[in-house]
Amino acid sequence: MKYRFYIALFISFFGCLQVNGQKYNLIIESDERIPEDIIKSYQNFKGDSTAIYSKLETIILSLQNKGFIAASIDQMQFDSVYVYANLYRGQKFYWGKLDLSNLNLTILNRINSKENSNQPINLDALKRIKKAVLSYYENNGYPFAKVVLHNQEIQDSLFNVTVDVDKGDYYLLDSIIVKGDAKISKNYLYRTLKVNPEMVFNQKQINAISKSISDVSFLSEIKPAEIEFKQQQKVDLYLYLQNKKANMFNGIIGFLPDNETTGKLLITGELNLNLVNSFGKGEEIFLNWEKLESSTQQLDVSLMYPYLFRTNLGLDTDFGLYKKDTTFLSLNAGLGLRWFLTYDDYIKLYYRYKNSSRIGNEKSTNILVNYADVKSNILGALYYVNALDYKYNPRKGVEFNVFGGAGFKRISNSNALDDGLNLNADNKTVEIEAGIELNVYYPIYRNFVFHFGNTTRYLDQFVDEDKEAVLFENELYRFGGANSLRGFDESIFYASVYSIQNAEVRYLFEQNSAFYIFWNGAYYYKNVTQVVTEDFPWGFGLGMNFQTKAGIFSLSYALGKQFDNPIEIRTAKIHFGYISRF
């Protein structure tokens, strides 16, 4: 019986070579009673020799996990159609005493063992206990810990054992040595990889280094990290890193029908510059310029600096200008404090200042009753998570962003507004803002990927019960165009509330190349000085991104429909784009 406890399924390699490829029916013979569920698992089973061996191994493991720990295949015989296997089940063993009292209390809470006395022995459960014990110690400074079984004893059908641990030496991380041409501060590496000198040896953190580096847009591994154990219980960590092209320059040229001059085209444009890790601190600088119409332009600049004061705290700031022909000029400035949860995920507290003023001569501005000089100060919070498998052309994953804020808005020069407006005496109102952005990518078949996106914004104001909360057109959200609602002019829609839905089927034929067809639609609500507008514009089309040595080129064609207007080919929107990484 002692020897049968250690018997495992053994199959001759040369016998496998002789019979592999032919299909056989499996016949299992035994002088002992086999559990019904195991019989059902191999009834009418048919396969080649490799499949037969795999099935028999599964049957033995199932029996051992039911307490028949001496189960084995004693003999096998092949003929032209059948495989006959002689199964030895053996005696069923039960736990007598599984003594875990020598284990750390933290381990016991993790294991939550349910292997009680008089329960059938389950070898998988014993393996799980061993794995949990080793995992705990190798992640808490003991890389050479071993599980030791003491007092092993079999009495009749009861198995008694005491589980103990030989921890070995206690190790600390000594030095982190970077090999390669990567230009990056040690503080950034320590925070991103969650390792630092003098920390307790943690195998889990070391195993996660490759994944963490792959998430960093401007770094790549030359080869996986290595560790060197030294005297005095110290460990050196070697990182092999190189720079990766992450700076981006891209532009879009749009050809749109000029709605004011039939038969002519209006050329619009957009330029984006994104600089990453230019100073070796992991910082990001972003600049965006857009020409939306002949006399309308937009400029946005932002900066993000991570890991201030050797903590997970980061700082970001942004500035934006939007000039709408000779109607109004809007300025936005923001300051945020981020707390990084991972490289890509963070929570943020932010302050935002908004100022929008009418421009042009006095006569024309007095006529524009839907516009006003307004200033807002907002405090809010934001949460962002990125679980995409690849940032630039994902196959699967989720990207999610939610924010909300509140503050005060003040209206200047209210005497120039419509006398019918019943405003607060101090022209001061409470303003709230909120938004959600969601992108989901799901692989449906081979290189085909389904993408669903949602962008929602909400803006509202509150005043005294006997007063009016008034929104003006120059303080509303703007959307429409290649980066929001395709099939329409850039920033053509103004709304206090809107929700854009986007559905795409994408065919990814290279890492950064894809062909796609799409449908997008939006609900929006606009209430400007008591004039309400609601609609559900939608559009559809197709496009592609294709990578070349010079960069990534994009081309899209989209048609849109709003209100009761028919779809017209002559109003189609064509966009050319270009992305260069350096």
Side-chain angles (χ1 to χ4, degrees):
M1 182 62 66
K2 178 180 178 181
Y3 295 103
R4 283 194 176 275
F5 181 78
Y6 297 102
I7 293 177
L9 181 63
F10 178 80
I11 299 170
S12 169
F13 175 72
F14 293 103
C16 176
L17 288 178
Q18 293 172 3
V19 297
N20 189 31
Q22 185 177 342
K23 299 293 184 179
Y24 298 91
N25 294 295
L26 177 60
I27 304 295
I28 294 181
E29 300 172 336
S30 179
D31 296 332
E32 301 164 293
R33 184 177 178 274
I34 307 301
E36 194 66 31
D37 59 327
I38 292 181
I39 293 176
K40 290 181 179 179
S41 71
Y42 65 77
Q43 277 183 337
N44 302 319
F45 183 82
K46 186 175 183 178
D48 61 16
S49 59
T50 302
I52 294 291
Y53 300 144
S54 178
K55 171 57 70 174
L56 290 174
E57 184 176 6
T58 301
I59 291 170
I60 295 303
L61 290 175
S62 297
L63 284 169
Q64 290 175 345
N65 286 326
K66 290 179 177 291
F68 303 101
I69 58 177
S72 65
I73 299 296
D74 286 353
Q75 186 178 3
M76 291 181 63
Q77 181 180 352
F78 287 83
D79 66 18
S80 60
V81 178
Y82 296 97
V83 175
Y84 298 93
N86 193 333
L87 173 63
Y88 173 78
R89 188 200 68 182
Q91 184 179 356
K92 188 171 187 177
F93 290 88
Y94 298 84
W95 288 116
K97 183 180 181 181
L98 178 61
D99 187 358
L100 304 176
S101 59
N102 292 336
L103 299 183
N104 183 288
L105 183 59
T106 303
I107 301 176
L108 292 175
N109 292 333
R110 289 185 181 182
I111 293 172
N112 192 24
S113 177
K114 298 180 181 179
E115 311 306 317
N116 301 319
S117 298
N118 298 320
Q119 292 291 322
I121 289 179
N122 187 320
L123 295 186
D124 278 349
L126 200 57
K127 291 176 183 177
R128 286 195 297 269
I129 292 173
K130 180 180 178 181
K131 182 178 180 181
V133 171
L134 294 180
S135 176
Y136 173 80
Y137 281 102
E138 70 182 8
N139 294 329
N140 286 276
Y142 299 95
F144 300 109
K146 295 183 291 185
V147 174
V148 181
L149 301 181
H150 291 307
N151 305 323
Q152 300 178 56
E153 183 182 24
I154 296 177
Q155 295 179 344
D156 295 328
S157 62
L158 297 180
F159 180 62
N160 302 317
V161 66
T162 299
V163 180
D164 205 348
V165 180
D166 177 6
K167 295 190 293 187
D169 291 330
Y170 183 74
Y171 282 84
L172 296 175
L173 201 60
D174 186 22
S175 301
I176 299 177
I177 302 161
V178 179
K179 302 284 189 178
D181 64 358
K183 178 187 175 183
I184 185 63
S185 72
K186 289 186 176 181
N187 176 53
Y188 184 90
L189 277 181
Y190 298 164
R191 290 291 164 183
T192 300
L193 305 182
K194 293 183 171 57
V195 295
N196 58 273
E198 302 304 319
M199 71 174 279
V200 175
F201 181 87
N202 187 317
Q203 187 65 52
K204 182 178 180 181
Q205 290 301 117
I206 293 173
N207 292 343
I209 285 176
S210 291
K211 173 62 170 64
S212 298
I213 291 175
S214 69
D215 291 336
V216 179
S217 62
F218 54 86
L219 290 178
S220 64
E221 274 190 319
I222 301 171
K223 65 177 182 176
E226 296 176 342
I227 54 177
E228 179 186 1
F229 291 95
K230 306 189 300 183
Q231 295 180 351
Q232 299 179 341
Q233 289 76 56
K234 297 288 186 178
V235 180
D236 283 344
L237 173 63
Y238 291 85
L239 302 175
Y240 302 92
L241 306 177
Q242 62 185 359
N243 292 317
K244 183 170 63 175
K245 291 181 179 180
N247 297 326
M248 288 197 304
F249 172 81
N250 68 71
I252 296 177
I253 299 177
F255 298 94
L256 312 176
D258 190 334
N259 295 326
E260 297 178 0
T261 308
T262 304
K264 293 185 178 181
L265 287 179
L266 173 66
I267 299 177
T268 64
E270 177 181 358
L271 295 176
N272 292 294
L273 178 64
N274 190 14
L275 301 177
V276 182
N277 195 44
S278 298
F279 304 103
K281 305 295 184 181
E283 76 288 343
E284 295 184 21
I285 302 170
F286 179 76
L287 184 146
N288 166 261
W289 171 84
E290 294 182 52
K291 179 184 178 183
L292 307 175
E293 298 174 7
S294 57
S295 301
T296 299
Q297 297 187 58
Q298 179 172 333
L299 174 67
D300 292 298
V301 181
S302 65
L303 166 68
M304 189 281 293
Y305 192 97
Y307 305 129
L308 293 171
F309 316 118
R310 297 186 177 182
T311 69
N312 284 359
L313 188 67
L315 176 71
D316 67 54
T317 181
D318 60 85
F319 174 82
L321 279 175
Y322 178 81
K323 179 179 177 292
K324 174 67 174 176
D325 48 59
T326 59
T327 308
F328 67 87
L329 175 67
S330 292
L331 179 150
N332 287 275
L335 181 66
L337 286 176
R338 300 185 182 188
W339 184 262
F340 288 93
L341 306 173
T342 66
Y343 167 72
D344 270 329
D345 305 343
Y346 59 87
I347 55 177
K348 182 173 85 168
L349 299 177
Y350 67 86
Y351 163 75
R352 179 160 301 284
Y353 171 74
K354 299 187 289 185
N355 185 338
S356 186
S357 304
R358 295 173 293 179
I359 56 178
N361 61 62
E362 188 68 21
K363 181 178 179 180
S364 64
T365 53
N366 284 335
I367 296 175
L368 299 175
V369 295
N370 289 343
Y371 301 84
D373 299 339
V374 293
K375 297 179 181 179
S376 299
N377 292 276
I378 304 292
L379 290 174
L382 177 148
Y383 173 66
Y384 175 79
V385 60
N386 185 338
L388 301 176
D389 64 337
Y390 181 58
K391 180 178 180 180
Y392 303 107
N393 198 23
R395 289 179 178 271
K396 62 180 179 179
V398 176
E399 182 182 28
F400 179 69
N401 179 8
V402 59
F403 70 89
F408 293 99
K409 182 187 84 170
R410 186 180 294 275
I411 303 173
S412 305
N413 300 324
S414 59
N415 56 338
L417 301 177
D418 188 345
D419 294 336
L421 297 178
N422 184 19
L423 305 175
N424 274 5
D426 58 358
N427 299 322
K428 195 174 182 181
T429 61
V430 176
E431 180 173 301
I432 62 171
E433 65 178 19
I436 293 175
E437 291 185 17
L438 172 68
N439 285 291
V440 179
Y441 295 85
Y442 184 79
I444 50 180
Y445 178 73
R446 293 188 178 178
N447 290 341
F448 287 93
V449 175
F450 175 73
H451 168 218
F452 171 78
N454 173 268
T455 300
T456 299
R457 295 288 185 270
Y458 177 83
L459 177 67
D460 206 352
Q461 297 173 0
F462 299 92
V463 294
D464 297 338
E465 292 184 1
D466 59 337
K467 302 297 181 180
E468 283 185 74
V470 180
L471 287 168
F472 299 94
E473 188 146 341
N474 53 312
E475 61 179 322
L476 300 181
Y477 294 119
R478 301 180 298 272
F479 69 96
N483 295 320
S484 55
L485 190 63
R486 290 167 288 187
F488 299 91
D489 293 346
E490 298 292 329
S491 299
I492 190 174
F493 299 106
Y494 288 71
S496 56
V497 179
Y498 73 86
S499 183
I500 301 173
Q501 320 297 324
N502 178 48
E504 290 181 343
V505 175
R506 305 171 62 87
Y507 177 75
L508 280 54
F509 53 92
E510 287 181 353
Q511 184 181 28
N512 294 307
S513 302
F515 173 81
Y516 57 87
I517 57 175
F518 69 87
W519 177 93
N520 53 200
Y523 165 79
Y524 75 92
Y525 175 86
K526 173 182 174 183
N527 184 356
V528 177
T529 59
Q530 300 178 332
V531 177
V532 176
T533 303
E534 286 183 281
D535 192 25
F536 187 85
W538 55 273
F540 63 95
L542 54 95
M544 69 180 303
N545 304 320
F546 53 97
Q547 184 176 21
T548 67
K549 292 182 179 180
I552 302 173
F553 292 87
S554 63
L555 172 65
S556 68
Y557 177 90
L559 292 164
K561 175 178 172 56
Q562 60 175 318
F563 298 113
D564 295 324
N565 299 327
I567 296 175
E568 296 183 356
I569 300 298
R570 66 182 182 88
T571 63
K573 306 298 183 283
I574 301 175
H575 293 276
F576 296 98
Y578 171 72
I579 298 175
S580 175
R581 292 185 189 163
F582 57 95

